[in-house]
Amino acid sequence: SIMIRKLILLLALMPVASVAFAVPTDSTESKDNRILTSMQSSSLNRDDAPDKWQPMHANFSIQSDMLLSTAQKSKNTWFGNSYIMGIIKNNYLEFGARFEDLYKPLPGHEPEMGRGVPHMYVKGSYHWAELTMGDFYDQFGSGMVFRTYEERNLGIDNAVRGGRIVLTPFDGVRVKGIAGQQRNYFDRTGKVFNSGRGYLLGSDLELNVERWSSAMRDNDYHLAIGGSFVSKHEADEDIFVGVGEDRKRLNLPLNVPIMGLRTNFQKGGLALYAEYGYKYNDPSADNDYIYHDGQAALLSASYSKKGMSVLLQAKRCENFAFRSKRSAQLTPLMINYMPAFTQAHTYTLAAIYPYATQPQGEWAFQGELRYNFARRTALGGRYGTGLRINVSHVRGLDKKMLKENPDELIGTDGYTVSFFGMGDLYYSDIDVEITKKVSPGFNFTLTYLNQIYNNKVLHGAAGEKPEKIYANIFVYDGKYKLSNKVALRTELQYLHTKQDQGDWIYGMAELSILPSLMLSLSEQYNTGETKKHYIMGSVTYTHGAHRVAFSAGKTRAGMNCSGGVCRVVPETQGFYLSYSTNL
């Protein structure tokens, strides 16, 4: 019978599947580091009723960002990153392809240089099965074990080329299987796969328990349990340690597995999430080729009700970088993803010293309180007052190295460490934000931030540069409604520090004219060491699905971050043109 065939297929997949809970969302949309608020339990409903074949329809998107440089070293030179994506689909079939032109990429994106169609796929779905062949994105759980996604600002695109199957054979059950090779910019040079990189094989099984219990559903209980499994296979290579007669070749593992368990519980406004991952020894450039096993664990709890919410999170990771190529570093070819338990800052000066997740070892804690003081109270006033307090604290692990000379650690277990042992402070961030509406046409936000940034660990500072940077940041953000169609937003920011380059001042005015036009002018000025001005003016026009932005000025060099992943970007100067559409 059909039911028996489904059961046989499910049992056949169980040896490579793990008991899991994962949100069936596109990983490219998961930007928030708040595990609980961004990961809601899926009902995994099924509908076996056949649908009629629907007509195919097409969707196209274009994004192009260009720079005409006026900097001395690259004067009158055009740079640009352009992407054209086309999708044709109906209720059963989907075909997609993306053309990318980074022949002369924007400054800071040089490793991505290339031109071609690196992303294409065909996907079919019928009843309780979905199959994708080609390039795809996915993630298991929070991404601790496996996550592929695209983040163009950071130059990240680690899509897997191969096959992906998703099965929902029973209500509340979802099985995923993936196999293939990750993308590394344009290094395939027209080939389907690159023999110099490893391959992935993984599976995921998620179970939503409340789907099997009417009592749980009636009482608003949601419980999901499970885990994931991923293994990478990579060819052997010659890596030696020692010199002379003591020179030896490392015995490298050809297959490295990683696995994880997770659970999610929700009841009303209360949500609890826990996940644990374990990775077998994986000597690589990330850990200086040691044979130490890796592990990671996180706990997250949130509670919300009308006018208030609380979030508490803790994470510990140790030697948990996982890549398709053992010699790769920085952002390419990451198989897993570790969210940063720190505030994702959007204000310019608050983002000067961002935190990047340290997969080699960290203890991270984050807590946030949001509270709305009601209208017509002493603190709420006529329109109410919003308060947000966010605290982040990250420390290293208390490691005891097996050798004093770092060069002698290659080929060993590297170190010993106690689970609860904590080392040096990596990052601290205390944010206090007050949001207030004064009148129907005026509201503002005041923010104070206190940051401690380990410049040595997070930015590789050496020599006379300060090991830690202490910064106090003040932000005013006000919005004035001048008429039904015209609004003016202004920002004033001030960063004070005695380390690094000293103090910064930032000001911005943004005029919005509905429905299509926005004008802005900003100035970022270092009053300390450099005395440099960074002035930027821009005009943005939107019409339907089309958006065009033109700007001119100079941008500051520094760290560009998203979700705890960072890359260094150089200073640029010139005329910028950006166009995007989705048809």
Side-chain angles (χ1 to χ4, degrees):
S1 68
I2 295 176
M3 183 63 69
I4 293 176
R5 290 200 299 269
K6 292 179 182 178
L7 182 60
I8 293 173
L9 180 57
L10 178 61
L11 292 176
L13 288 168
M14 285 297 290
V16 293
S18 49
V19 183
F21 164 74
V23 178
T25 57
D26 186 342
S27 62
T28 60
E29 298 175 355
S30 181
K31 303 292 186 183
D32 199 353
N33 63 1
R34 298 178 188 176
I35 301 298
L36 285 171
T37 56
S38 65
M39 297 185 61
Q40 299 299 321
S41 177
S42 169
S43 63
L44 300 183
N45 287 321
R46 297 177 59 253
D47 184 3
D48 284 331
D51 297 324
K52 293 182 179 180
W53 178 274
Q54 302 294 326
M56 305 290 286
H57 64 275
N59 173 267
F60 296 93
S61 63
I62 301 173
Q63 179 183 331
S64 183
D65 300 295
M66 293 174 285
L67 164 66
L68 176 60
S69 178
T70 59
Q72 193 62 36
K73 293 183 179 180
S74 56
K75 197 169 185 179
N76 298 326
T77 302
W78 277 99
F79 302 92
N81 297 0
S82 298
Y83 310 84
I84 302 175
M85 183 76 187
I87 297 175
I88 302 174
K89 66 178 181 179
N90 68 356
N91 53 329
Y92 287 116
L93 284 176
E94 179 176 325
F95 304 89
R98 183 170 67 233
F99 171 78
E100 300 181 6
D101 187 349
L102 289 88
Y103 184 74
K104 201 155 192 178
L106 293 171
H109 292 259
E110 289 79 6
E112 305 160 55
M113 184 175 67
R115 178 186 289 160
V117 184
H119 190 95
M120 63 187 77
Y121 67 91
V122 56
K123 178 167 64 176
S125 58
Y126 187 73
H127 297 307
W128 49 277
E130 178 184 289
L131 175 65
T132 303
M133 299 299 294
D135 299 287
F136 61 88
Y137 302 101
D138 204 343
Q139 75 177 55
F140 298 161
S142 68
M144 178 186 290
V145 169
F146 171 73
R147 184 193 188 198
T148 55
Y149 66 109
E150 182 189 24
E151 179 58 69
R152 291 175 185 173
N153 289 335
L154 297 182
I156 295 176
D157 188 345
N158 59 352
V160 173
R161 173 170 292 179
R164 170 181 179 265
I165 187 169
V166 181
L167 304 175
T168 54
F170 307 105
D171 196 18
V173 177
R174 172 168 292 169
V175 181
K176 292 182 181 181
I178 61 105
Q181 184 186 70
Q182 286 184 292
R183 178 188 177 185
N184 185 24
Y185 307 130
F186 286 90
D187 75 340
R188 293 188 178 116
T189 60
K191 296 178 293 186
V192 177
F193 297 107
N194 187 314
S195 59
R197 289 209 304 282
Y199 295 84
L200 305 180
L201 178 68
S203 59
D204 184 81
L205 169 63
E206 54 191 44
L207 307 172
N208 279 10
V209 179
E210 77 274 1
R211 299 302 306 169
W212 310 328
S213 171
S214 58
M216 291 183 67
R217 296 195 300 273
D218 293 342
N219 290 281
D220 193 29
Y221 285 99
H222 302 275
L223 175 63
I225 56 176
S228 310
F229 176 86
V230 176
S231 177
K232 75 161 182 176
H233 173 81
E234 187 176 0
D236 200 4
E237 61 181 300
D238 292 332
I239 297 177
F240 296 93
V241 57
V243 294
E245 295 182 356
D246 295 330
R247 190 167 184 258
K248 297 179 181 179
R249 182 181 183 276
L250 292 184
N251 183 17
L252 298 171
L254 304 184
N255 296 285
V256 179
I258 186 172
M259 58 199 72
L261 299 172
R262 54 194 183 269
T263 184
N264 185 40
F265 171 81
Q266 298 178 33
K267 164 64 177 173
L270 176 66
L272 304 173
Y273 183 83
E275 186 167 4
Y276 175 78
Y278 187 85
K279 177 175 72 75
Y280 282 78
N281 65 84
D282 181 22
S284 65
D286 283 314
N287 61 18
D288 295 325
Y289 294 96
I290 63 173
Y291 285 75
H292 200 95
D293 289 348
Q295 58 180 324
L298 64 85
L299 293 170
S300 187
S302 70
Y303 176 75
S304 63
K305 65 177 185 179
K306 184 178 181 180
M308 186 193 77
S309 67
V310 178
L311 171 72
L312 297 173
Q313 299 186 123
K315 177 187 66 177
R316 181 192 186 275
C317 66
E318 173 189 345
N319 191 28
F320 213 65
F322 193 39
R323 300 179 188 266
S324 294
K325 188 176 180 64
R326 61 177 68 93
S327 60
Q329 289 184 294
L330 300 177
T331 57
L333 296 171
M334 289 296 299
I335 300 172
N336 65 336
Y337 169 81
M338 293 296 297
F341 281 4
T342 57
Q343 180 70 17
H345 293 297
T346 56
Y347 290 115
T348 300
L349 298 187
I352 284 183
Y353 303 115
Y355 182 72
T357 302
Q358 303 298 299
Q360 293 312 311
E362 67 175 26
W363 266 106
F365 305 91
Q366 184 179 35
E368 181 174 282
L369 168 67
R370 291 177 182 263
Y371 190 84
N372 291 325
F373 294 96
R375 295 181 177 185
R376 308 191 188 284
T377 61
L379 295 177
R382 182 177 179 182
Y383 296 98
T385 303
L387 173 67
R388 182 184 65 84
I389 301 174
N390 186 287
V391 179
S392 303
H393 188 86
V394 186
R395 306 188 76 91
L397 303 182
D398 185 17
K399 297 179 180 179
K400 293 179 174 56
M401 311 308 294
L402 299 180
K403 302 285 186 179
E404 292 185 6
N405 186 351
D407 293 335
E408 297 178 356
L409 292 174
I410 298 176
T412 71
D413 286 342
Y415 57 87
T416 60
V417 61
S418 64
F419 186 87
F420 293 102
M422 297 185 194
D424 194 14
L425 176 67
Y426 284 176
Y427 185 79
S428 174
D429 187 7
I430 301 173
D431 304 354
V432 180
E433 179 185 280
I434 298 173
T435 303
K436 181 68 178 175
K437 183 177 180 180
V438 179
S439 69
F442 174 53
N443 61 77
F444 67 86
T445 299
L446 296 176
T447 307
Y448 166 73
L449 305 96
N450 177 274
Q451 295 179 348
I452 303 175
Y453 182 86
N454 193 318
N455 203 29
K456 181 179 179 181
V457 172
L458 303 178
H459 206 179
E464 298 180 357
K465 294 185 178 181
E467 181 175 326
K468 289 188 175 70
I469 298 172
Y470 301 83
N472 291 281
I473 306 166
F474 304 86
V475 179
Y476 163 81
D477 184 349
K479 186 174 182 179
Y480 308 82
K481 186 177 180 181
L482 304 179
S483 69
N484 289 335
K485 291 188 175 182
V486 181
L488 176 66
R489 189 173 74 88
T490 59
E491 283 184 21
L492 291 173
Q493 304 177 34
Y494 175 64
L495 183 152
H496 170 68
T497 179
K498 295 180 180 180
Q499 295 80 36
D500 200 23
Q501 296 179 342
D503 293 4
W504 289 86
I505 297 174
Y506 177 87
M508 189 273 294
E510 181 182 271
L511 184 68
S512 300
I513 304 173
L514 296 178
S516 302
L517 190 62
M518 185 171 67
L519 311 172
S520 68
L521 180 65
S522 65
E523 155 76 312
Q524 184 177 345
Y525 174 59
N526 179 255
T527 65
E529 180 181 302
T530 68
K531 307 296 184 183
K532 282 188 175 182
H533 292 267
Y534 297 91
I535 302 175
M536 182 68 68
S538 67
V539 179
T540 303
Y541 179 78
T542 304
H543 180 72
H546 305 277
R547 181 183 181 274
V548 180
F550 174 79
S551 55
K554 181 189 292 187
T555 64
R556 181 188 63 85
M559 299 288 284
N560 183 22
C561 296
S562 177
V565 181
C566 299
R567 71 181 296 171
V568 178
V569 295
E571 181 178 295
T572 61
Q573 177 181 311
F575 299 95
Y576 306 81
L577 181 63
S578 177
Y579 171 74
S580 63
T581 187
N582 195 333
L583 301 174

